[in-house]
Amino acid sequence: EAAGEAEVRLLLQEARESIEAARSYRRELQQRLRGLHQAREQIKDSATLTRDVLEQHFSDLKGTLKKLLDERLTSLLQEVDVIEQESIKPLDECQKLIEHGVSTADDLLREGESAVDGDVGQQNEKLCNFTKKALHIQLDSLPEVPSLVDVPCLSAQLDDCLLTILKNQIFRHGTVASRPPVQLEEFVEKPGGILVRWCKVDDDFIPQDYRLQYRKSTASHFEDVYVGSETEFMVLHIDPNVDYQFRVCARGDGRQEWSPWSVPQSGRTTLVPHEWTAGLEGYSLSSRRNIALRNDSQSCGVLYSKAPTYFCGQTLTFRQTVGQPDRRDSLGVCVEQRNGDDSLQRDKAVCISTNGAVFVNGKEMTNQLPAVTSGSTVTFDMEVVQLGPCSNEGGNFKLRVTISSNNREVVFDWVLDQCCGSLYFGCSFSYPGWKVLVF
């Protein structure tokens, strides 16, 4: 009986496992069905959009071509009018001259006939006057009338090869692509931002520039956020826990037109943006509080982040505009805020000075980085290396820190006496003119 019960339990267990496997199999199939549905919808939606774009483009093209042809026809007709008027004008003047001569000859004929047939007593005087008048008119002088070969004969020269050229151009105009040459590859969450990466998927396509656009999921229009030759871009001013849509296209080498857009993809960040603490005398902040400007105030101290928003495993980046440097200047991270200090060159903090010196818990390291320059970036990367039991009461704790500046970096271990899941960041400058963006 015991053997029978064990066999039943085994069969029940196998049955339950088979049922769970069937459920899992069904979920996977349903997920694939949803994927097929999305793929089908993407094909249909993109085909509908492509049809609309093609119809609109060729409609606009036909309208433009008709307008251009009408303008050219009007121009040629005006040219015919001008040539006709300019050519007929001298003929009209010659006609007036001949008609005036005919009228004069008619008058002269009547006067001559009257003189010949007139009274004998007055005949001599009339004949004398007529003869003088005839000599004055110069009856042997005739206006010159141009021959037909010397006057314009208008015609239109219409080259039929234009139709051939247009036909060839029209038949080559436009293409339909089934896949864009570039696609979005990866979204990396950043505090208040998303690092977007893309890649080329067409081996025959040689990109010159890329164009990245984004929009909130609730917005209707995309807007440009980056145009350049890089294949990644940090999109800042992203609201946490809000979906954004991204798309990218490229421009081929030596071409003016952009390629088709990639398939739009959604990205979001769950990380709140880095912010400086407001209200510290000596520093002015931007509206988003991610940029701090050292003002002309004589007060000096450390400007800290609003909260410990830097977590190990992330990259913390400072980008600055430089002012007059001082050896006590600092950019870095710390375990806690501490009022009264004028620099992060203290315990429980790591930082870099504006002259490139690196400090760990207030001690200067032998290794040194290049001096901070305007527009350059300083980055902090940290990973946890635990040296012993860690509890709420503390314990040996080590962070491996990498600080990079101007294409050089230093790597060291930062030993702390307590666990630190998150850290504050801060800066201090003795002189005005320094401006720091943190992301």
Side-chain angles (χ1 to χ4, degrees):
E1 290 181 0
E5 291 178 359
E7 183 177 357
V8 169
R9 285 196 297 270
L10 181 60
L11 290 173
L12 285 173
Q13 180 64 27
E14 290 178 350
R16 291 190 183 98
E17 291 176 355
S18 297
I19 291 172
E20 186 58 36
R23 287 173 178 165
S24 178
Y25 180 65
R26 184 179 62 182
R27 285 195 298 268
E28 289 293 332
L29 289 176
Q30 290 173 339
Q31 184 175 353
R32 281 162 172 74
L33 282 175
R34 287 192 294 269
L36 285 174
H37 176 72
Q38 292 174 348
R40 183 177 289 106
E41 290 300 313
Q42 177 175 300
I43 293 172
K44 289 184 176 180
D45 292 345
S46 62
T48 300
L49 178 61
T50 301
R51 290 189 191 96
D52 293 341
V53 169
L54 287 172
E55 290 174 355
Q56 184 63 47
H57 175 77
F58 277 85
S59 176
D60 295 342
L61 194 60
K62 286 189 287 187
T64 302
L65 284 174
K66 183 180 184 305
K67 181 181 178 182
L68 292 174
L69 289 172
D70 289 343
E71 289 177 353
R72 182 55 179 164
L73 174 59
T74 301
S75 175
L76 290 173
L77 291 176
Q78 290 175 348
E79 190 174 342
V80 171
D81 294 340
V82 170
I83 295 175
E84 180 185 23
Q85 293 171 6
E86 291 179 349
S87 301
I88 288 179
K89 183 178 180 181
L91 298 182
D92 289 340
E93 293 174 352
C94 185
Q95 180 177 341
K96 291 179 181 178
L97 183 61
I98 292 174
E99 290 174 348
H100 177 70
V102 171
S103 177
T104 302
D106 288 341
D107 293 341
L108 188 62
L109 282 171
R110 285 191 297 269
E111 187 175 343
E113 291 172 352
S114 175
V116 171
D117 298 334
D119 188 3
V120 176
Q122 298 178 350
Q123 189 175 24
N124 289 338
E125 183 179 357
K126 288 184 178 181
L127 288 172
C128 183
N129 290 335
F130 170 73
T131 304
K132 289 181 180 179
K133 191 172 185 180
L135 290 173
H136 179 72
I137 293 177
Q138 297 179 350
L139 295 176
D140 59 344
S141 176
L142 295 173
E144 185 178 354
V145 177
S147 63
L148 293 179
V149 296
D150 294 329
V151 296
C153 180
L154 278 71
S155 63
Q157 288 75 49
L158 300 173
D159 192 348
D160 291 338
C161 72
L162 175 62
L163 294 176
T164 303
I165 295 173
L166 286 176
K167 180 179 178 181
N168 292 334
Q169 291 293 330
I170 289 172
F171 284 168
R172 290 198 301 265
H173 181 67
T175 58
V176 176
S178 60
R179 289 178 178 82
V182 292
Q183 291 285 9
L184 295 167
E185 183 179 28
E186 184 181 16
F187 298 104
V188 181
E189 289 187 66
K190 297 292 183 179
I194 300 175
L195 177 62
V196 184
R197 294 192 175 104
W198 54 89
C199 63
K200 182 170 72 81
V201 294
D202 184 350
D203 294 336
D204 297 328
F205 184 79
I206 302 176
Q208 174 181 308
D209 292 307
Y210 297 99
R211 181 182 179 189
L212 177 67
Q213 291 188 336
Y214 84 128
R215 70 179 180 187
K216 275 188 177 181
S217 56
T218 55
S220 57
H221 298 291
F222 284 91
E223 60 180 270
D224 287 341
V225 69
Y226 172 77
V227 175
S229 59
E230 300 296 327
T231 56
E232 66 177 37
F233 183 74
M234 171 73 75
V235 183
L236 299 175
H237 310 318
I238 295 293
D239 296 329
N241 301 308
V242 173
D243 286 330
Y244 287 79
Q245 276 198 322
F246 297 85
R247 66 182 185 181
V248 66
C249 65
R251 181 162 50 198
D253 190 20
R255 305 295 294 270
Q256 294 297 321
E257 70 276 6
W258 291 100
S259 74
W261 290 105
S262 67
V263 177
Q265 294 189 38
S266 295
R268 65 160 47 195
T269 181
T270 58
L271 306 175
V272 297
H274 292 318
E275 294 183 9
W276 298 103
T277 299
L280 180 64
E281 186 178 358
Y283 293 90
S284 304
L285 305 184
S286 64
S287 59
R288 290 181 176 269
R289 296 187 291 277
N290 61 337
I291 300 176
L293 172 66
R294 180 68 167 92
N295 57 35
D296 296 334
S297 173
Q298 296 300 316
S299 175
C300 63
V302 177
L303 176 66
Y304 292 102
S305 57
K306 181 180 178 181
T309 53
Y310 175 62
F311 296 88
C312 293
Q314 299 177 359
T315 297
L316 178 69
T317 304
F318 298 99
R319 182 176 297 151
Q320 56 282 316
T321 300
V322 301
Q324 181 181 343
D326 185 87
R327 64 182 184 85
R328 293 291 295 168
D329 293 341
S330 60
L331 283 168
V333 297
C334 57
V335 175
E336 59 190 4
Q337 295 181 344
R338 202 164 71 186
N339 297 325
D341 295 323
D342 61 356
S343 176
L344 284 175
Q345 299 172 19
R346 60 169 176 82
D347 62 328
K348 296 186 178 181
V350 295
C351 67
I352 176 176
S353 177
T354 53
N355 63 7
V358 178
F359 292 84
V360 182
N361 290 331
K363 297 181 180 179
E364 183 175 355
M365 292 182 60
T366 303
N367 294 334
Q368 186 166 333
L369 291 170
V372 174
T373 57
S374 188
S376 66
T377 58
V378 176
T379 62
F380 287 75
D381 291 275
M382 299 189 185
E383 59 178 334
V384 177
V385 182
Q386 192 169 318
L387 287 182
C390 183
S391 63
N392 294 333
E393 288 76 22
N396 293 326
F397 195 70
K398 181 168 69 173
L399 297 175
R400 184 150 297 155
V401 182
T402 302
I403 305 178
S404 303
S405 177
N406 287 324
N407 297 320
R408 289 182 56 188
E409 65 180 30
V410 293
V411 181
F412 56 89
D413 289 338
W414 181 22
V415 179
L416 298 170
D417 59 0
Q418 65 187 84
C419 295
C420 293
S422 59
L423 298 165
Y424 291 89
F425 56 85
C427 68
S428 65
F429 302 102
S430 299
Y431 298 101
W434 289 89
K435 184 167 68 174
V436 181
L437 164 68
V438 61
F439 59 91

